[in-house]
Amino acid sequence: MSRLSPASLLIVGAFMVPLFIELPVVLSFVGVNLPMEVSLGMGVVAFAMVLVWSEVSEKPEAADA
Amino acid sequence: MSTPGETAGETVESAREMLPDNSFLIQYPHVSRVVRSLFLTAFVAFGIGAFMGVLQALHRTGIARIVESADYYTFLTLHGVLLAIVFTIFFLAGVFTWANTRSLDRPPVSKRFTWFWVVTMSAGTAMAGIAMLAGLLPSIDISADVLFTFYAPLQAHPIFYIGLAVFVIGTWLAGIDWFRQFLAWRREHPDERIPLQSFMVLTTMIMWFIATLGVAVEVVVFLIPWSLGIMPAPNPLLTRTLFWFFGHPIVYFWLMPAYLLWYTVLPKIAGGRLFSDPLARVVFVLFLLLSTPVGIHHQYLDPGIAEGFKFIAMTNTMFLLLPSLLTAFTVVASIEHGARQRGGTGYFGWLKALPWRDPAFTGMALAGLMFAAGGFSGMVNAGMNINYLVHNTLWVPGHFHLTVGTAVALSFMAGAYWLVPRITGRKLYSRPIGLFQVVLWFVGMVFMSAAMHRGGLAGIPRRTAEPQYPQVAFETVAGSVGSLRLQLAFGGVLLFVSALLFLMNVGLTAMNNKPARGLDSALPPALSGPEQSPTVLDNLKLWALIAVVLVILAYSLPLYSIVQGAGLYPAGQEASPAVIAPLLEVIA
Ligand code: HEM
Ligand SMILES: [Cu+2]
């Protein structure tokens, strides 16, 4: 069973977008030059990981049973 | 997805009898019709405006140039006027008609009068719309490519200005209608507190009456006679000042209905109650007082206005942040209360208990979140010194697509998901599509607005079809200008898709044969109710008077010195472009 419903995945994914769009800007203040494309790519990877986690991890109740 | 207990073949008509007696549609079928017709105009304008938006986003980034660059201003004018004036004001007129009727629990005084203002507003819109669209047809000598900030020396065809004047008169009549409805209620309830929603409608309309005086004088006294060729060109600085006298408060005319939804509808959807009724009243009074005497903050770069006046406008503007911060607090406290009623616990754990699957809730929540970001970039605009950095750059559209383009527009879309079933008796066509649509708007706007803000800091100008100059290299802090362009265009496309999904979902709802369920229209009482707020808050005459005094203080000296400086009609002022002379020759 998936941990996150499609609606939750949608919301979680949406909240990740501003984080990865602003990441290169924030890093530029500390002198790190992260290209926008790389940052967005990292976002896609992070979202894919959430997706995988949601599919493979077991619900706490299910684990107890 | 079908709800249990739904029988096949049930029609909307037979189901209407099953709606609860206190549902709005049953109690006020006629008012529901008025609201439906206002929403229809709003959504048509929204569709056309959104299409212009994606054209601009693709055009100015050089991704796809479907239109001629020469026509860009026609599209931009249509985009600004249809979205920022027609969509917003027709929708809010629908919301106010609903809210005033619902909270006073009585219909408007005269059906005839209500339809009269609806028709007046629509006729004005049609005239202005025709003038703008005619700009795309070279064979017709009518155009209005003056952008939604219509001041001299750019000149439009008289039909455009006359249409605007008729439209504004329509909104005044609407305000009079809502006041008459209130006064009729007052006669029967002499000692009661004004119901909260009605209080919000009335304070907003007083603000609007004061604010539109500026644009009425600009259009009727100066622009119409000038475009008809009867009078010479007016002093541009004077028309700009009169425009912004109205141009700032109009942003609160957009926002206050969104706040009405946040304060009164959102807590209900979240399963809770408004945190504080007195605080809500204080916020609306503060907006009434402070919205207008700040317009000069749009003119920090205008020569001919002394720095001291600009400084006063800046100070007032900073005070204006206060009611918005109060709103953020009250609304979050109300939905937290709702979440805890639904079993949410912990410092942040309650967030999970909110009805995120409901597009009406999620849309308004995301709209509120984006408004916070818009507030931050707005503070930058409002500072006299840092404004010079961003003035007339892409930063500015980046800012107001967060505020009017999302805080307002997305709240209205989310509100429509809640309200349309209540005024049609039909079930929302699809909640999942609705949810996907509001989230898509949020994501699209993150892409587009972030790129606009950062492009603006790099110096890329707004309002231009081809912001590519061989001699100039724009430098960005992070990433490249090329990637910003892609980001802007990508966001614009997502927004357009989201707009289409919204229109489709609402359209299919209006035709849906499944009846809506459980539409009681009662709103839960506030945790801290009106009995806790001082009665002076309901003294609308007092607040109106103070608002007028503040406006006189803020504007009398600047206007006097502008007229002293260059007069009402400076010699040698030419119209641009000259379109009226040929027309007059035909008439003569
Ligand atoms: C489909 C969604 C939208 C897209 C793709 C979009 C895109 C754009 C772009 C690219 C510009 C800048 C053009 C320039 O300065 O050259 C712009 C300007 C503008 N937009 Fe939007 N927009 C959208 C939705 C909205 C909404 C919902 C509103 C308001 C309710 C709005 C109000 C405005 C206004 C007032 C301007 C300024 C026009 C001017 O400079 O005269 N837009 N839009
Ligand atoms: Cu302003």
Side-chain angles (χ1 to χ4, degrees), chain A residues 5 7 10-11 14-15 17-18 21-22 24-25 28 36-37 40, chain B residues 357 362 366 369 435-436 439 442 446-447 450 454 477-478 483 487:
Chain A
S5 66
L10 188 67
I11 307 273
F15 279 111
V17 178
I21 282 190
E22 296 301 339
V25 184
S28 70
M36 183 59 84
E37 293 77 6
L40 289 175
Chain B
R357 274 163 192 276
T362 303
L366 293 178
L369 196 67
L435 181 64
F436 179 73
V439 171
F442 174 82
V446 170
F447 274 94
R454 293 178 46 220
V477 186
S483 73
Q487 200 180 311

Side-chain angles (χ1 to χ4, degrees), chain B residues 43-73:
Chain B
F43 295 153
V44 170
F46 179 68
I48 307 175
F51 180 58
M52 305 296 152
V54 72
L55 285 185
Q56 286 153 211
L58 295 174
H59 191 104
R60 56 167 297 144
T61 51
I63 309 271
R65 297 210 158 138
I66 302 159
V67 296
E68 299 269 335
S69 286
D71 284 334
Y72 190 77
Y73 289 105

Side-chain angles (χ1 to χ4, degrees), chain B residues 367-432:
Chain B
L369 196 67
M370 286 220 129
F371 188 54
F376 292 131
S377 71
M379 277 187 251
V380 171
N381 302 341
M384 255 173 96
N385 45 357
I386 30 182
N387 178 278
Y388 296 167
L389 184 69
V390 296
H391 190 82
N392 266 348
T393 68
L394 255 196
W395 167 284
V396 176
H399 159 74
F400 62 63
H401 282 88
L402 293 179
T403 53
V404 65
T406 301
V408 173
L410 188 55
S411 293
F412 284 2
M413 287 185 254
Y417 285 139
W418 189 82
L419 208 48
V420 168
R422 284 172 163 71
I423 52 161
T424 57
R426 292 160 197 269
K427 186 168 176 237
L428 180 60
Y429 175 74
S430 164
R431 264 165 65 121

